[in-house]
Amino acid sequence: MVDKKLSGAGLRGQSAGETALCTVGKSGSGLTYAGYDVSDLADNATFEEVAYLLFNGELPNQAQLDEYKASLFKQRDLPQALKDVLKLIPKDAHPMDVMRTGCSFLGNIEPEADFSQQHQAANRLLAAFPAIMCYWYRFTHDGVEIDCTTDEDSLGGHFLALLHGKTPSEQHRKVMDVSLILYAEHEFNASTFTARVCASTLSDMFSCITGAIGSLRGPLHGGANEAAMDMIQKFSSPADAKEQMAGMLERKEKIMGFGHAIYRESDPRNVIIKAWSEKLAHENGDTSLYDISVACEEFMWDSKKLFCNADFFHASAYHFMGIPTKLFTPIFVCSRLTGWAAHVMEQRSNNRIIRPSADYVGPEPRKVSPISQR
Ligand SMILES: CC(=O)SCCNC(=O)CCNC(=O)[C@H](O)C(C)(C)COP(=O)(O)OP(=O)(O)OC[C@H]1O[C@@H](n2cnc3c(N)ncnc32)[C@H](O)[C@@H]1OP(=O)(O)O
Ligand SMILES: O=C([O-])CC(=O)C(=O)O
């Protein structure tokens, strides 16, 4: 992988600290979590193993994994007070705002009293996030107060079962699991950096994660999977996609799901989720949306040398599994929480408050004139 020339605004190219959690775009291996290539993890591990890796630095053995999953399993349900709060949030609210409120409210009723509880706080959020999303969604959209517990072994399967009210297929469980692995961690991206800045003030875990959710929400970051879906649904065919995208580029519009702040030639997560999107399209017996997505990818590369990032083929993959578009970015939260929390723990382990300087470009010093003279 060729290193991207990094300079200019947005702190690009400047190191803002050290991490042992992840490499992004390092030559030879695009994306690694604690030394493991993301494609190796996607093929040979589960999301719970990856969460354990990020929180503890090593993959679990079978006994450790069993114990970890059993503990998460017990923490999946929501307290009644949180359910009551979720029921107050309107149907037309954005589910990312629901996640932000759910996280923040849980921090009120189950606070992290001190840093010795950091694993507990992170694991509680990990176990509870699927229910926070689905309890609100099903109540406001289907009028049902769902049981927030399921028998599903994995968090990915649990989410699908809560959302659809039925047992997911083995294939869908697998895709969710892979997706959660792909989204889990990505070094000093905007939302993780938000979490680390918050952690550097010695704030609590729930505040760090709440802030990170706010940063992930924007379309230049996690919100791009949702924005990509909205875009591809407007295209009627591969040819129409190419024509409309040419117009968008001419009007200097950003095409969501393309480009990256660090990667230069490709995002290593794309090839993995793209392959699953194709499988799901065939399983559904309708490949038109997948074909449109491939046309978008070809067009963007041919015309601008821009490639799909992790978000682009996630859009069609989630859609093929019957997931409503507005829940795409909240799923990202359910996964990235692991990276955020691991970074909070890492920041705390060797902390200095993050406080960069600014170049002043405002007016010269001046006096306040009386209000009657302004
Ligand atoms: C999981 C994730 O968060 S992945 C990122 C998800 N975000 C998106 O998909 C949103 C669309 N993409 C973008 O807006 C950008 O590519 C970002 C925000 C991801 C990265 O931003 P930057 O690092 O500033 O981009 P970069 O320096 O590579 O931009 C180079 C040029 O390509 C253009 N460009 C980059 N991405 C796009 C895009 N998706 N559509 C159109 N033009 C683009 C930029 O406008 C810039 O043009 P300019 O030099 O004329 O100003
Ligand atoms: O690293 C970034 O800037 C954005 C990204 O891909 C991620 O957070 O997964």
Side-chain angles (χ1 to χ4, degrees), residues 38-113:
V38 74
S39 58
D40 194 6
L41 291 167
D43 282 348
N44 298 306
T46 61
F47 176 56
E48 285 79 358
E49 287 171 81
V50 169
Y52 187 99
L53 170 70
L54 292 170
F55 292 165
N56 300 286
E58 295 298 337
L59 285 168
N61 62 29
Q62 191 62 55
Q64 288 166 328
L65 181 63
D66 292 346
E67 193 190 335
Y68 184 51
K69 284 173 69 176
S71 127
L72 291 175
F73 192 90
K74 280 193 255 156
Q75 299 183 69
R76 287 177 178 180
D77 204 356
L78 306 181
Q80 188 56 45
L82 177 50
K83 290 181 182 168
D84 292 342
V85 165
L86 293 171
K87 283 200 278 188
L88 291 174
I89 303 177
K91 178 181 180 178
D92 61 359
H94 194 285
M96 284 297 277
D97 299 343
V98 177
M99 299 303 278
R100 197 188 58 218
T101 298
C103 176
S104 180
F105 186 74
L106 200 60
N108 281 286
I109 55 175
E110 298 178 11
E112 182 196 26

Side-chain angles (χ1 to χ4, degrees), residues 318-363:
Y318 285 168
H319 181 78
F320 294 143
M321 291 193 287
I323 299 172
T325 305
K326 56 160 82 164
L327 296 186
F328 289 6
T329 318
I331 300 173
F332 197 156
V333 171
C334 295
S335 161
R336 183 57 59 87
L337 160 72
T338 55
W340 292 332
H343 277 272
V344 169
M345 296 175 198
E346 190 178 56
Q347 179 68 34
R348 287 173 172 180
S349 70
N350 184 17
N351 187 57
R352 187 174 191 195
I353 192 166
I354 298 173
R355 201 306 189 186
S357 306
D359 300 319
Y360 182 67
V361 293

Side-chain angles (χ1 to χ4, degrees), residues 34-200:
Y36 294 101
D37 196 280
V38 74
S39 58
D40 194 6
L41 291 167
D43 282 348
N44 298 306
T46 61
F47 176 56
E48 285 79 358
E49 287 171 81
V50 169
Y52 187 99
L53 170 70
L54 292 170
F55 292 165
N56 300 286
E58 295 298 337
L59 285 168
N61 62 29
Q62 191 62 55
Q64 288 166 328
L65 181 63
D66 292 346
E67 193 190 335
Y68 184 51
K69 284 173 69 176
S71 127
L72 291 175
F73 192 90
K74 280 193 255 156
Q75 299 183 69
R76 287 177 178 180
D77 204 356
L78 306 181
Q80 188 56 45
L82 177 50
K83 290 181 182 168
D84 292 342
V85 165
L86 293 171
K87 283 200 278 188
L88 291 174
I89 303 177
K91 178 181 180 178
D92 61 359
H94 194 285
M96 284 297 277
D97 299 343
V98 177
M99 299 303 278
R100 197 188 58 218
T101 298
C103 176
S104 180
F105 186 74
L106 200 60
N108 281 286
I109 55 175
E110 298 178 11
E112 182 196 26
D114 59 62
F115 293 174
S116 70
Q117 295 179 358
Q118 61 182 3
H119 279 87
Q120 205 177 309
N123 286 322
R124 174 64 166 134
L125 283 169
L126 182 60
F129 268 158
I132 290 178
M133 178 183 6
C134 294
Y135 187 83
W136 169 81
Y137 183 83
R138 297 288 311 279
F139 179 74
T140 51
H141 290 68
D142 302 335
V144 289
E145 293 182 40
I146 58 165
D147 177 355
C148 293
T149 62
T150 70
D151 291 337
E152 287 293 319
D153 180 59
S154 67
L155 282 165
H158 172 59
F159 158 68
L160 289 170
L162 290 180
L163 177 65
H164 293 132
K166 58 177 195 217
T167 305
S169 71
E170 205 42 61
Q171 169 120 308
H172 287 190
R173 283 192 189 114
K174 175 68 186 163
V175 181
M176 267 320 295
D177 199 59
V178 168
S179 164
L180 294 171
I181 292 172
L182 297 182
Y183 271 147
E185 162 55 7
H186 219 243
E187 199 222 39
F188 276 25
N189 61 84
S191 56
T192 301
F193 196 57
T194 303
R196 282 193 85 125
V197 171
C198 189
S200 81

Side-chain angles (χ1 to χ4, degrees), residues 4 12 183 219-222 224 249 253-261 269 300 304 306 309-311 332:
K4 181 173 174 175
R12 204 69 86 257
Y183 271 147
L220 295 190
H221 193 8
L249 287 182
E253 289 172 26
K254 279 266 159 76
I255 315 267
M256 297 307 169
F258 286 87
H260 200 272
R269 298 166 293 186
M300 286 296 278
K304 290 274 283 182
L306 281 169
N309 58 47
D311 282 330
F332 197 156

Side-chain angles (χ1 to χ4, degrees), residues 242-291:
K242 292 187 179 189
E243 200 183 313
Q244 290 209 46
M245 285 178 108
M248 290 170 79
L249 287 182
E250 235 173 75
R251 294 189 297 277
K252 302 248 173 279
E253 289 172 26
K254 279 266 159 76
I255 315 267
M256 297 307 169
F258 286 87
H260 200 272
I262 306 293
Y263 298 124
R264 188 182 172 85
E265 292 187 330
S266 66
D267 180 330
R269 298 166 293 186
N270 178 53
V271 65
I272 302 171
I273 196 63
K274 180 182 173 187
W276 281 111
S277 172
E278 183 176 16
K279 277 197 191 106
L280 290 169
H282 285 290
E283 180 195 72
N284 284 6
D286 177 1
T287 63
S288 53
L289 201 67
Y290 176 77
D291 297 338

